[in-house]
Amino acid sequence: MAKILLNKKNLFHNLNLILKQTKSKEKVAIVLKDNAYGHGLLEIAKLAKEFGIKKAVVRTCEEARKINNYFDYILILADTNLSTYSHTFHIAVNSLEQIKQLPKNTQVHLKVDSGMHRNGINKDKLKEAIHGLYKQNLKFTGLFTHYRCADELATDFYWQRSNFRQIKEEVKNICEQLSIPLPKFHSANSSALFRINNFDEDFARVGIASYGYLETDNIFNNPDLKPVMSLWGQKIATREIKKGQRVGYGGGYIAKKDMTISTYDVGYGDGFFRLNEKHKYITPKGYEILGRVSMDNLSVNCNDENICIFNDARQLAKIHDTITYEITTKLNPTIKKEIIQ
Amino acid sequence: MAKILLNKKNLFHNLNLILKQTKSKEKVAIVLKDNAYGHGLLEIAKLAKEFGIKKAVVRTCEEARKINNYFDYILILADTNLSTYSHTFHIAVNSLEQIKQLPKNTQVHLKVDSGMHRNGINKDKLKEAIHGLYKQNLKFTGLFTHYRCADELATDFYWQRSNFRQIKEEVKNICEQLSIPLPKFHSANSSALFRINNFDEDFARVGIASYGYLETDNIFNNPDLKPVMSLWGQKIATREIKKGQRVGYGGGYIAKKDMTISTYDVGYGDGFFRLNEKHKYITPKGYEILGRVSMDNLSVNCNDENICIFNDARQLAKIHDTITYEITTKLNPTIKKEIIQ
């Protein structure tokens, strides 16, 4: 059966590098949304708790409920359906309309658009939003934004940071006028955290770096992160093929010599990206994935009982013109996870 | 909340076109593996039963158990862990080793390699395999193969069919010698079924055509299949942006004029393929997905409450250099399904 191995040592190594930036475990909020970027929500929650992380970020209330026992503080990014409420939960709000729908005493993090123009409240509506929270007896517990270019060598990052700095000052003034406590301020994702020299916000939201990747330009002095996940397939069948024989859909692979090949139980139906004959992909042990990946299996020039299909998503991300996040996150949540020490 | 709408009328339309080829509902085995190619295992099982389909094909015993009440006959393609057994189940076997592991009385479909060189027993090992089934008191209920090129204009299809025809004759002889009943013979997938004029096997395994697609060369007289699935996103937030402002990661989209844009709650974390600024993708209603798709959302130049992101996977398959199967199958099983009449 296909499985995902989670390397605990590598995860802790990455979390330690993150700690060097934040200076404190209290200032790390680990991003566990989308099944912990494909790594397994509960598995990573458990390991993060063991490491001492106390804050987590998820997408939905359902995810938050599942990990409620592992953390003191959970930020829910994209769900306002608060059928079950917990004192641990903080809800991200992206619009004035959302504020009206929240039940009394809900803890709210306002998201502000500091220049990404994706989600978040416009900065000129912030006063209205904070007054709205106040009038409706909602608790204003956080103010945050997201950078569009923290991973790219561009001045955009400094421009957005400067925007957010100004926004924070305005929000402090509004809070003083209303005599309400200051919210937690946070803006840094993984790339931003490693780009900032003196991190001074209340916490950073760290996703991809925990899992061992950063998509930043190589020009930055990137930390030595180590991928946490490896994907493994189990053999279905082995056969001998002759030189010139073709393998798989469309006969996409043509044997250059007599060879032993096997199929393994990982395909694009498992969320592994479909390779075709246009791309050469070599596994960590030097085997080649032959021709087209099928929905439920793929062919490889070996006959090992189990093979590691990848232990670093970067080669695959490059082949598929995407980012490592997509390679790991798309893996089917039903694939069995095993933690290796 | 994002959702997948399943168009019952289109599904039944496709199944009727399939019936025209098989001539009988008994000869259709609907392929429901991999969450019914992303359409929802239980939803499609229920609809297929309502239509009158009695046979299904899945990948695992777990899938088979879930749909056991809907079908008389279930072929399990890639699982030999038979902890729960049912008289409905038939297990595909790809190697001589697997035969030794099966409990007495298991119903077995032998898969034979007729030229795809992916899975299946080599034809010169078939006699050994059938004798093995006989000696171990396993029931030889099926013999099948898979075509590598049924969807491409190549002579490979005729060559493989001719190979399989010869294999069937040999198997008939072996069965006569052992005085055991003949197994069901099947080889046609969707493409093969529509390429064959006088279908005469015991059943066809029909997956992608049920869902409204065929990946065959346009040179074939393709049937008028209709996509069953459409993917819908719900609005998160709306904003006005000015000409020249940039949207999303990397500021990948640059507004050509002042415009209203919104984010919707579908991203690559939901299994929707990540588009980037290199590709222009237009939704069925004529809206454009702007810049890079994020993990949990995407930006569009409209402010509708809900938008249809796709109702035909072909445009996306082309952009991502893949097949429609991968576009639908990768969608996260947790996305809510709704059947529309």
Side-chain angles (χ1 to χ4, degrees):
Chain A
M1 199 194 274
K3 63 185 172 189
I4 286 171
L5 298 187
L6 299 169
N7 189 316
K8 179 177 164 180
K9 219 178 272 174
N10 287 0
L11 177 69
F12 282 22
H13 167 87
N14 300 333
L15 292 175
N16 276 316
L17 288 175
I18 289 160
L19 265 189
K20 278 194 184 162
Q21 297 297 110
T22 62
K23 306 283 189 306
S24 137
K25 286 180 185 173
E26 301 291 334
K27 289 195 168 198
V28 180
I30 188 164
V31 184
L32 298 176
K33 65 192 177 75
D34 297 281
N35 198 32
Y37 296 18
H39 292 69
L41 174 64
L42 290 176
E43 289 81 0
I44 300 294
K46 199 178 143 190
L47 291 170
K49 179 189 157 87
E50 186 184 330
F51 184 84
I53 304 288
K54 297 193 164 54
K55 294 186 177 70
V57 181
V58 294
R59 184 174 177 187
T60 64
C61 288
E62 200 190 326
E63 289 173 330
R65 273 193 295 275
K66 286 182 185 162
I67 58 165
N68 202 7
N69 292 333
Y70 295 102
F71 299 96
D72 296 344
Y73 198 104
I74 302 174
L75 172 61
I76 299 163
L77 289 178
D79 202 341
T80 50
N81 181 14
L82 305 178
S83 49
T84 313
Y85 185 71
S86 154
H87 286 293
T88 315
F89 296 177
H90 299 254
I91 310 299
V93 159
N94 280 290
S95 69
L96 295 174
E97 297 77 52
Q98 274 181 291
I99 293 173
K100 295 176 196 136
Q101 295 154 14
L102 291 172
K104 209 172 126 178
N105 286 324
T106 305
Q107 302 179 111
V108 172
H109 281 223
L110 286 182
K111 182 159 186 180
V112 60
D113 179 10
S114 61
M116 188 173 185
H117 303 320
R118 188 184 58 161
N119 284 313
I121 292 169
N122 286 341
K123 55 185 177 181
D124 54 10
K125 299 277 185 196
L126 260 183
K127 190 171 175 182
E128 190 180 340
I130 298 167
H131 279 259
L133 295 179
Y134 182 76
K135 277 183 211 146
Q136 293 201 48
N137 290 311
L138 299 164
K139 290 184 185 154
F140 180 31
T141 54
L143 179 88
F144 73 111
T145 197
H146 196 81
Y147 297 115
R148 74 181 190 201
C149 280
D151 53 351
E152 292 176 21
L153 186 67
T155 55
D156 304 42
F157 177 58
Y158 298 99
W159 164 72
Q160 259 195 284
R161 263 187 95 188
S162 149
N163 285 347
F164 190 54
R165 217 173 280 129
Q166 201 183 327
I167 290 166
K168 286 191 276 193
E169 289 310 313
E170 289 167 23
V171 167
K172 281 179 193 169
N173 287 336
I174 299 169
C175 290
E176 275 174 23
Q177 285 159 15
L178 293 173
S179 293
I180 56 174
L182 280 186
K184 302 270 185 213
F185 294 117
H186 53 106
S187 64
N189 59 5
S190 293
S191 306
L193 178 66
F194 283 99
R195 206 167 158 180
I196 292 167
N197 284 326
N198 290 301
F199 178 75
D200 63 355
E201 290 195 320
D202 290 307
F203 60 86
R205 306 181 305 269
V206 191
I208 198 70
S210 315
Y211 307 118
Y213 302 99
L214 265 191
E215 292 283 335
T216 47
D217 269 329
N218 279 333
I219 197 139
F220 300 118
N221 193 4
N222 280 337
D224 173 34
L225 297 163
K226 294 181 179 171
V228 171
M229 164 194 290
S230 57
L231 175 66
W232 292 73
Q234 189 181 2
K235 193 165 77 176
I236 301 170
T238 294
R239 73 196 61 251
E240 306 296 326
I241 58 168
K242 301 281 176 202
K243 182 179 171 177
Q245 284 191 321
R246 301 163 81 104
V247 177
Y249 278 109
Y253 178 77
I254 304 168
K256 290 175 201 75
K257 55 178 186 187
D258 294 0
M259 60 199 287
T260 302
I261 66 169
S262 304
T263 45
Y264 293 86
D265 60 353
V266 169
Y268 62 82
D270 299 290
F272 181 71
F273 271 67
R274 180 176 170 271
L275 292 158
N276 60 28
E277 58 272 31
K278 289 183 214 161
H279 303 289
K280 198 181 173 86
Y281 174 76
I282 303 294
T283 73
K285 213 169 160 182
Y287 303 137
E288 188 179 348
I289 293 185
L290 309 172
R292 299 183 199 164
V293 167
S294 299
M295 195 181 289
D296 305 325
N297 54 75
L298 46 77
S299 295
V300 178
N301 56 344
C302 73
N303 66 355
D304 296 2
E305 203 49 47
N306 295 284
I307 60 162
C308 177
I309 294 171
F310 74 84
N311 57 14
D312 185 335
R314 285 176 295 184
Q315 188 191 349
L316 288 164
K318 207 169 164 188
I319 288 175
H320 296 292
D321 184 28
T322 190
I323 50 181
T324 52
Y325 303 63
E326 192 181 15
I327 300 297
T328 64
T329 305
K330 277 230 168 74
L331 291 173
N332 202 315
T334 57
I335 301 174
K336 207 178 71 177
K337 314 287 186 301
E338 267 176 40
I339 295 164
I340 52 170
Q341 301 292 327
Chain B
M1 197 192 276
K3 64 185 172 186
I4 286 171
L5 297 187
L6 299 169
N7 188 315
K8 179 177 164 181
K9 220 178 268 176
N10 287 2
L11 177 69
F12 281 22
H13 167 87
N14 301 334
L15 291 175
N16 275 316
L17 288 175
I18 289 160
L19 265 190
K20 277 194 184 164
Q21 295 299 109
T22 63
K23 307 284 192 305
S24 136
K25 286 180 183 171
E26 300 292 334
K27 289 194 166 198
V28 180
I30 189 164
V31 184
L32 299 177
K33 65 193 177 75
D34 297 280
N35 197 34
Y37 294 20
H39 292 69
L41 175 63
L42 289 176
E43 288 82 359
I44 300 293
K46 199 177 143 189
L47 291 170
K49 179 188 157 88
E50 184 184 330
F51 183 84
I53 304 288
K54 297 194 164 53
K55 294 186 177 70
V57 182
V58 294
R59 185 175 177 187
T60 65
C61 288
E62 199 190 326
E63 290 173 330
R65 273 194 295 276
K66 286 182 186 162
I67 58 165
N68 202 7
N69 292 333
Y70 295 103
F71 298 97
D72 296 343
Y73 197 103
I74 302 175
L75 173 61
I76 299 163
L77 289 177
D79 201 341
T80 50
N81 179 14
L82 305 178
S83 50
T84 311
Y85 185 72
S86 155
H87 287 291
T88 315
F89 296 178
H90 299 254
I91 310 298
V93 159
N94 280 291
S95 70
L96 295 173
E97 299 76 54
Q98 276 181 290
I99 293 173
K100 293 175 197 136
Q101 296 155 10
L102 292 171
K104 211 172 123 179
N105 286 323
T106 306
Q107 302 179 111
V108 173
H109 281 222
L110 286 181
K111 182 160 188 182
V112 60
D113 179 9
S114 60
M116 190 174 184
H117 304 319
R118 189 185 56 164
N119 285 313
I121 292 169
N122 286 342
K123 57 186 176 182
D124 53 9
K125 298 278 186 195
L126 259 183
K127 192 172 173 180
E128 191 181 338
I130 298 168
H131 279 260
L133 296 179
Y134 181 76
K135 275 182 213 147
Q136 293 201 50
N137 290 311
L138 300 164
K139 289 183 186 155
F140 180 32
T141 54
L143 180 88
F144 73 112
T145 197
H146 197 81
Y147 297 115
R148 76 183 189 199
C149 282
D151 53 350
E152 292 177 20
L153 186 67
T155 56
D156 304 41
F157 178 58
Y158 298 99
W159 164 73
Q160 258 194 284
R161 261 186 96 189
S162 150
N163 284 347
F164 190 53
R165 216 174 279 131
Q166 202 183 325
I167 290 165
K168 287 191 275 194
E169 289 311 314
E170 287 166 23
V171 166
K172 281 179 192 168
N173 287 336
I174 298 167
C175 290
E176 274 174 25
Q177 285 159 16
L178 292 173
S179 292
I180 54 172
L182 282 184
K184 301 272 186 212
F185 294 117
H186 53 105
S187 63
N189 58 5
S190 294
S191 306
L193 178 65
F194 282 100
R195 204 166 160 182
I196 291 167
N197 284 326
N198 291 299
F199 178 74
D200 63 356
E201 289 195 319
D202 290 309
F203 61 84
R205 305 181 306 268
V206 191
I208 198 72
S210 316
Y211 307 118
Y213 302 98
L214 264 192
E215 291 283 333
T216 48
D217 269 329
N218 279 332
I219 197 141
F220 300 119
N221 194 4
N222 280 337
D224 173 34
L225 297 163
K226 294 180 178 170
V228 170
M229 164 195 289
S230 56
L231 175 65
W232 292 73
Q234 190 181 3
K235 192 165 77 175
I236 301 170
T238 295
R239 75 195 61 252
E240 307 296 326
I241 57 168
K242 300 279 177 205
K243 184 180 171 178
Q245 284 191 321
R246 301 164 81 104
V247 177
Y249 277 109
Y253 177 78
I254 305 169
K256 290 174 203 74
K257 54 178 186 187
D258 293 1
M259 59 200 286
T260 302
I261 66 169
S262 305
T263 45
Y264 292 87
D265 60 353
V266 169
Y268 62 81
D270 300 289
F272 181 71
F273 271 67
R274 180 176 171 270
L275 291 158
N276 60 27
E277 58 271 33
K278 290 183 212 161
H279 302 291
K280 196 181 174 85
Y281 174 76
I282 303 293
T283 73
K285 215 169 158 183
Y287 304 137
E288 187 179 350
I289 293 184
L290 310 172
R292 298 183 201 164
V293 168
S294 299
M295 195 181 288
D296 304 328
N297 54 74
L298 45 80
S299 295
V300 178
N301 55 343
C302 72
N303 67 353
D304 296 2
E305 203 47 48
N306 294 284
I307 60 162
C308 177
I309 293 171
F310 75 84
N311 58 14
D312 184 335
R314 286 176 295 183
Q315 189 191 349
L316 289 164
K318 208 171 163 187
I319 287 175
H320 296 292
D321 185 29
T322 189
I323 51 181
T324 51
Y325 305 63
E326 192 182 14
I327 300 296
T328 64
T329 306
K330 277 231 169 72
L331 291 173
N332 202 315
T334 57
I335 302 175
K336 206 178 72 178
K337 314 287 185 300
E338 267 176 38
I339 294 165
I340 52 169
Q341 301 292 329

